[in-house]
Amino acid sequence: MFDDDFPDDAAQTERTRQIILRYHLSWKQRDLEAVLALYHPQVEYNDFYQQRSMQLAELRAYVAGNLPRHPGESLEHFDRIRIDGHTAFIQYRTRVQGSEGLVSFCTGEAITVRDGLIWRVNEYATLVREQQPLGAPGARPAISRLGLSSRQLGQMAQDLQDYFQRSQPFLDPELNLQQVATATGYSRNQVSHLLNQVLGESFYRYVNRARLQYLLAGLEADSYPVRIDELAFAAGFNSLSAFYSCFRRHTGLSPKAYLKQLSLRARTQDGC
C-alpha cells in the first residue's frame, strides 16, 4: 500500500463516502449481488471474531449467510459512519434474542477503498454482557471451530426464539438438545455454544425459562383457582423441584407468594 495510491484529501473522502453508502444500503436491502459488486478483485475480508481471512471467491457464501433476512431489519449504530480519505469506520450493536436484552455483540468494521471498490475489510466483534450471569464465560469466546460469525449467532438466537414461540416444544417434558437442533436446522454443537457461551445458560435453564413464561402467561389469563403444580407439569416441567427453583430465580417469589400477589392485584382492579 502506497500513499500515492490512497490520497487522503477531501476529494478521496467524498469518493469513499459514495462507495460506503452504496455498500451500507446494499446490505440493508439484502442485495447480495450489489454487495459483491462493490468488492475489489483483490479484496481481503478479515473476520477477527471467527479468526478467518477470506478472498473474493469465498465471500459469496459468507455474505449470503450474514445478510439481514427480514425487510426493515436493522443494526443499532452507536456511532456515525466515520470516513477519512480512503478509510471508513462503522460501529454497531446486535442485540441477542432470548437474552432478555442483556447480551449483545458490539461490532466495528474498518473498510479501505481502492480503485473505487472495497479493497479490505477488518471486522471486530465483542460479546458484551450487561449483567454477567453466575459462572458465565468471558466476553470473547472462540467460535472459529463452529464457522459462525457474530451476525450468524444473532440470527441463530432469533431462529431459536421464533421456534420456541411458534411451536412451543418446551411443553414436551422429554425435550432434548438434539431435537431442538434438528428442528431449527443447526448442529447440536452450534446450539449448545449459543446457549452456554453467548447467552450464558444451559439448555435446560433456557427451556425451563420458556416453560415458566408460558405458565405465568396462563396465570395472568385465568381468573379461576388453579393448582400450581398441575400448571407446572402442563407447561413441561418434569420435576417440582426444578419448577420451584426456576420460579424463584426469575420472579424472586415462591409460587404461593406470587399467586397471593396476583390475587390482591385482581381484587384491587375489580374494586376500581
Side-chain angles (χ1 to χ4, degrees):
M1 181 171 70
F2 302 101
D3 290 341
D4 290 343
D5 296 328
F6 302 111
D8 283 323
D9 55 18
Q12 179 60 46
T13 296
E14 183 56 32
R15 287 193 293 269
T16 299
R17 184 186 310 280
Q18 295 303 317
I19 295 298
I20 295 304
L21 291 180
R22 284 170 55 194
Y23 185 63
H24 180 66
L25 186 60
S26 297
W27 273 93
K28 184 176 181 180
Q29 294 178 336
R30 303 178 294 162
D31 191 335
L32 175 61
E33 299 305 327
V35 172
L36 294 174
L38 289 169
Y39 288 131
H40 193 282
Q42 297 176 346
V43 66
E44 181 180 299
Y45 195 116
N46 298 303
D47 182 339
F48 289 104
Y49 192 74
Q50 287 196 82
Q51 302 173 7
R52 181 181 180 188
S53 181
M54 292 161 283
Q55 308 301 317
L56 184 60
E58 303 167 87
L59 283 175
R60 175 174 291 275
Y62 178 84
V63 173
N66 284 278
L67 284 174
R69 294 176 302 173
H70 308 290
E73 183 177 332
S74 62
L75 303 171
E76 177 188 340
H77 290 261
F78 54 85
D79 195 6
R80 63 183 177 85
I81 297 177
R82 298 181 179 273
I83 300 173
D84 182 14
H86 57 273
T87 304
F89 300 93
I90 303 174
Q91 298 183 82
Y92 54 86
R93 181 191 306 271
T94 306
R95 301 243 176 224
V96 179
Q97 298 296 320
S99 67
E100 300 179 334
L102 300 177
V103 179
S104 62
F105 284 103
C106 289
T107 302
E109 295 180 15
I111 303 174
T112 303
V113 171
R114 178 176 184 175
D115 302 327
L117 295 169
I118 293 171
W119 182 65
R120 177 163 294 165
V121 180
N122 289 334
E123 179 180 315
Y124 307 84
T126 302
L127 181 63
V128 177
R129 301 184 192 279
E130 296 180 21
Q131 177 178 317
Q132 187 81 359
L134 183 64
R140 187 181 182 276
I143 65 168
S144 57
R145 70 183 184 279
L146 296 179
L148 294 173
S149 68
S150 59
R151 290 192 193 94
Q152 288 172 312
L153 279 170
Q155 291 171 351
M156 179 163 62
Q158 179 68 64
D159 288 342
L160 191 61
Q161 186 178 61
D162 289 347
Y163 170 60
F164 268 59
Q165 291 176 345
R166 180 182 66 254
S167 301
Q168 300 180 331
F170 51 82
L171 296 179
D172 177 3
E174 303 301 323
L175 182 69
N176 61 50
L177 180 58
Q178 185 58 60
Q179 289 173 318
V180 171
T182 300
T184 54
Y186 295 98
S187 73
R188 188 178 187 279
N189 286 343
Q190 287 173 335
V191 177
S192 177
H193 178 89
L194 172 71
L195 295 174
N196 288 281
Q197 301 299 319
V198 177
L199 297 181
E201 61 183 347
S202 69
F203 171 73
Y204 289 103
R205 278 204 172 190
Y206 183 92
V207 173
N208 281 342
R209 179 156 56 87
R211 289 167 174 156
L212 181 64
Q213 290 169 346
Y214 175 85
L215 182 147
L216 294 178
L219 287 177
E220 293 284 350
D222 288 334
S223 58
Y224 52 86
V226 292
R227 286 180 55 88
I228 194 71
D229 55 343
E230 292 179 358
L231 285 179
F233 289 125
F237 286 96
N238 56 15
S239 125
L240 286 180
S241 62
F243 163 65
Y244 286 125
S245 175
C246 180
F247 197 104
R248 186 175 290 277
R249 182 167 61 250
H250 289 283
T251 68
L253 298 170
S254 68
K256 183 177 180 180
Y258 186 90
L259 285 174
K260 182 177 181 180
Q261 188 180 85
L262 198 63
S263 177
L264 287 172
R265 188 165 73 239
R267 288 201 298 270
T268 299
Q269 291 172 346
D270 289 342
C272 291

